[in-house]
Amino acid sequence: MSSIKVECVAREGCGIGESPVWDEEAGALLFVDISRRKVCRWSAAAARVEAVAVDAPVSSVALRKSGDYVITLGTRFAALKWKEKLVTTITQVDKDKSNNRFNDGKVDPAGRYFAGTMAEEIRPAVLERHQGSLYTLFSDLSVVKHFDQVDISNGLDWSLDHRIFFYIDSLSYSVDAFDYDLQTGKIGNRRSIYKLEKDESIPDGMCIDTEGKLWVACYDGGRVIRLDPETGKRLQTVKLPVDKTTSCCFGGKDYSEMYVTSASDGMDKEWLSRQPQAGGIFKITGLGVKGVPPYPFAG
């Protein structure tokens, strides 16, 4: 095992940094700042962040096959043209719930965009419960709702054989698995594969590596953990210098680097003085595993 190194590559001070996605073509890490309403792109070569301001909380970003990006914005799926800084609405969900917003989202191996909603938080992880739902935006721009009664819709990914969909509803403190039909995008047979321990705190964003193991960022736990979805065992813990780790993805030239987003919302001055890198973007090297490149939205 090579030695693991954690470094803060962008001291962004995000309110809620989320949804890291590696854009291979741009050689850059995409991410969002939900509460500050920005879609950001950190260039690895230039080591600097560019941002596009948007008009609502933006909770996830994904690549698009036809170029540029798709985002979840408020309760809308939307398209983002980066150079023009142009956002156009694709469709809206949860129209009857004015206090809702999207949270985490990710594209499946067939090019469908999965994303779930939640009620706006009163303060971090405190909100009206069971208000969210999980949706899929198909390539023909139609939307399907899978289920409701969700608290905080979070981490999503698919097994390497594309037969299992992994999902996190944060306040259940559980990483769940569903049977997955790649042809139709249907999910079923939900079960818990890992329950978080007290010091791991709240499960947030998630990604998979090329060995089929899951990596979960633990909000208020200051770490990412590596899980075996077949045995339900935790294999590894990597601690970070900030408490509010929110999500993770693999990136870099060969997807051997892990990028972790973090948040600073809800931290007082004293807490921030102890963790000046809160809200920053971190790069972890030396994990000895690689990740799976992100899938682009096909629509």
Side-chain angles (χ1 to χ4, degrees):
M1 194 77 189
S2 48
S3 62
I4 292 169
K5 183 181 167 195
V6 178
E7 61 180 313
C8 184
V9 292
R11 288 185 68 150
E12 276 307 283
C14 290
I16 310 171
E18 261 289 2
S19 184
V21 178
W22 187 255
D23 181 343
E24 199 171 324
E25 205 174 301
L29 183 78
L30 296 162
F31 61 96
V32 299
D33 186 342
I34 300 177
S35 54
R36 299 195 181 149
R37 304 183 171 198
K38 290 189 299 191
V39 183
C40 306
R41 193 163 77 175
W42 173 78
S43 160
R48 73 161 197 272
V49 174
E50 299 173 286
V52 173
V54 290
D55 66 359
V58 55
S59 60
S60 73
V61 57
L63 308 175
R64 192 172 193 178
K65 209 172 184 177
S66 57
D68 283 306
Y69 309 118
V70 279
I71 57 176
T72 48
L73 182 66
T75 52
R76 292 169 281 157
F77 284 105
L80 168 63
K81 286 199 164 174
W82 185 263
K83 278 192 186 125
E84 297 87 344
K85 295 181 163 47
L86 182 68
V87 175
T88 46
T89 297
I90 295 169
T91 189
Q92 189 175 4
V93 302
D94 285 5
K95 289 179 187 169
D96 56 333
K97 293 184 174 173
S98 59
N99 193 40
N100 271 21
R101 67 162 173 83
F102 267 116
N103 201 40
D104 208 355
K106 196 172 278 184
V107 176
D108 83 344
R112 308 176 188 101
Y113 196 2
F114 275 63
T117 56
M118 60 184 276
E120 274 287 8
E121 293 168 301
I122 299 155
R123 54 184 186 277
V126 177
L127 71 166
E128 190 181 349
R129 298 190 64 171
H130 312 311
Q131 297 304 301
S133 300
L134 180 69
Y135 294 95
T136 298
L137 176 69
F138 284 74
S139 58
D140 65 359
L141 309 186
S142 64
V143 173
V144 164
K145 178 162 132 178
H146 296 282
F147 51 80
D148 52 20
Q149 298 291 308
V150 174
D151 288 324
I152 302 178
S153 189
N154 241 321
L156 325 87
D157 219 324
W158 289 264
S159 62
L160 301 181
D161 65 5
H162 308 156
R163 290 182 177 179
I164 299 171
F165 167 58
F166 298 107
Y167 177 72
I168 291 168
D169 181 351
S170 288
L171 297 189
S172 70
Y173 294 87
S174 171
V175 180
D176 292 353
F178 294 79
D179 295 342
Y180 191 64
D181 185 331
L182 187 66
Q183 299 316 116
T184 62
K186 285 188 175 153
I187 60 176
N189 185 27
R190 185 174 189 167
R191 63 250 181 219
S192 173
I193 55 165
Y194 184 81
K195 280 278 189 191
L196 273 83
E197 294 168 24
K198 200 170 182 192
D199 65 337
E200 292 167 349
S201 201
I202 302 170
D204 202 325
M206 170 169 60
C207 67
I208 197 164
D209 63 31
T210 54
E211 293 174 9
K213 308 299 188 276
L214 299 172
W215 293 83
V216 179
C218 301
Y219 182 83
D220 277 345
R223 66 193 70 189
V224 288
I225 55 174
R226 187 181 191 224
L227 311 175
D228 186 330
E230 288 182 9
T231 63
K233 295 274 190 297
R234 179 180 62 187
L235 305 172
Q236 195 175 349
T237 300
V238 180
K239 294 199 174 172
L240 285 92
V242 292
D243 289 332
K244 295 183 180 291
T245 39
T246 53
S247 192
C248 52
C249 79
F250 285 91
K253 280 193 185 106
D254 56 358
Y255 292 90
S256 65
E257 301 165 348
M258 176 175 278
Y259 290 91
V260 181
T261 49
S262 69
S264 62
D265 280 5
M267 297 173 73
D268 60 24
K269 272 185 185 162
E270 196 259 331
W271 194 353
L272 284 167
S273 72
R274 280 186 283 118
Q275 297 189 4
Q277 296 173 329
I281 309 299
F282 295 84
K283 178 168 82 170
I284 304 174
T285 49
L287 288 172
V289 290
K290 293 180 180 183
V292 177
Y295 303 104
F297 174 60

